[in-house]
Amino acid sequence: MSDVLVSARDLTARYGRREVFHGLTFDVCANQALGVIGPNGAGKTTLLRVIAGLLSPSEGELRVRDMSPRQAVSRMNVGYFAGDFTLPGSVRACDWGSLATGDAITPERRRIRTLSRGTRQLLGLRTVLSRPHLGLVLLDEPWEALDVDASRWLSRTLETKRDRGASVVLASHDPHDLAGVCDLYLFLVNRRGSLFKAHELSTAGPVTPAMLGNVLERLQVDATAPLRAAS
């Protein structure tokens, strides 16, 4: 898989004097899914915003299909969703799906703010992922508040998007969300990133939540003892 779509080199982000993460380097190819995992406040949301072109890195370089993220968003089909709170609460659910995609996503006529959290989350995900020919998918904590059926739908849909050539970047604090879904795992701990390929974490069978949890725990206990990262 040589078609690198997202490329980060020595990526650093700061808010004022506070460093969020430092020196991240990774590549995500077409037909690959990257799982970004770490505790709350580790910088997962910030990283997705940088890739989406909503924030500029403090140092380093982030390229999307050899363009700046803002150029890429304007020239290619990028799907980004950061949670139900980003939806327009006063808009009717049926109208939002039609406005965003041109298709009827749901017959629900209630205003978005009156829906349950899980229903809002699913509406946002269905609206973003229903767009055809997505080249890059960026989802921040996408499994939050979803029930079992919706969670299964999301995992199947992401696999389909990846297999059709998209690069997928998913952020979550929960190992159960990302286990077995991704080809690469980027752990964010103490402002540093450790990148692993799925087959390095599990040589036989899919990556399990326990495997991800063990790596995350080791990194949290001793961030100064780096594990073998993916080359």
Side-chain angles (χ1 to χ4, degrees):
M1 290 179 288
S2 59
D3 184 12
V4 175
L5 196 141
V6 179
S7 180
R9 292 294 178 270
D10 297 319
L11 202 65
T12 296
R14 299 187 187 91
Y15 291 122
R17 295 184 178 182
R18 184 175 72 88
E19 188 174 72
V20 182
F21 52 72
H22 178 86
L24 301 186
T25 294
F26 61 87
D27 291 326
V28 186
C29 297
N31 300 105
Q32 275 192 329
L34 170 69
V36 184
I37 185 170
N40 292 330
K44 303 183 298 295
T45 295
T46 298
L47 177 58
L48 261 65
R49 288 176 177 172
V50 171
I51 299 174
L54 301 175
L55 294 174
S56 297
S58 303
E59 295 177 14
E61 184 177 48
L62 193 289
R63 305 291 288 178
V64 178
R65 208 178 285 277
D66 205 28
M67 297 179 282
S68 72
R70 291 181 182 178
Q71 288 176 319
V73 168
S74 67
R75 296 182 185 181
M76 61 182 290
N77 201 354
V78 177
Y80 173 74
F81 183 63
D84 68 285
F85 66 91
T86 64
L87 297 173
S90 62
V91 175
R92 296 185 186 278
C94 57
D95 293 338
W96 174 245
S98 298
L99 286 171
T101 67
D103 297 319
I105 299 298
T106 176
E108 177 60 69
R109 293 190 53 80
R110 286 181 293 169
R111 301 191 185 277
I112 292 174
R113 65 169 174 262
T114 68
L115 305 176
S116 69
R117 186 185 179 197
T119 302
R120 296 195 306 268
Q121 181 82 353
L122 184 58
L123 172 65
L125 290 166
R126 290 181 62 194
T127 300
V128 168
L129 294 174
S130 67
R131 292 164 53 187
H133 312 300
L134 283 171
L136 176 60
V137 178
L138 305 169
L139 301 180
D140 192 2
E141 300 284 0
W143 281 274
E144 278 198 346
L146 297 184
D147 61 22
V148 173
D149 289 338
S151 295
R152 290 173 179 166
W153 167 84
L154 175 58
S155 297
R156 290 195 302 266
T157 302
L158 292 174
E159 183 178 359
T160 298
K161 296 295 183 183
R162 181 195 62 189
D163 291 347
R164 290 179 178 174
S167 290
V168 178
V169 182
L170 309 167
S172 179
H173 68 281
D174 189 345
H176 289 82
D177 291 344
L178 301 177
V181 176
C182 302
D183 307 286
L184 302 167
Y185 292 92
L186 178 64
F187 293 83
L188 294 183
V189 176
N190 289 353
R191 304 186 303 279
R192 297 295 193 272
S194 296
L195 181 69
F196 296 87
K197 296 175 183 176
H199 68 78
E200 292 176 320
L201 298 174
S202 176
T203 58
V207 174
T208 67
M211 293 173 184
L212 295 180
N214 288 339
V215 174
L216 184 59
E217 183 178 359
R218 290 169 61 191
L219 290 169
Q220 289 175 312
V221 168
D222 188 3
T224 62
L227 301 176
R228 183 169 63 88
S231 59

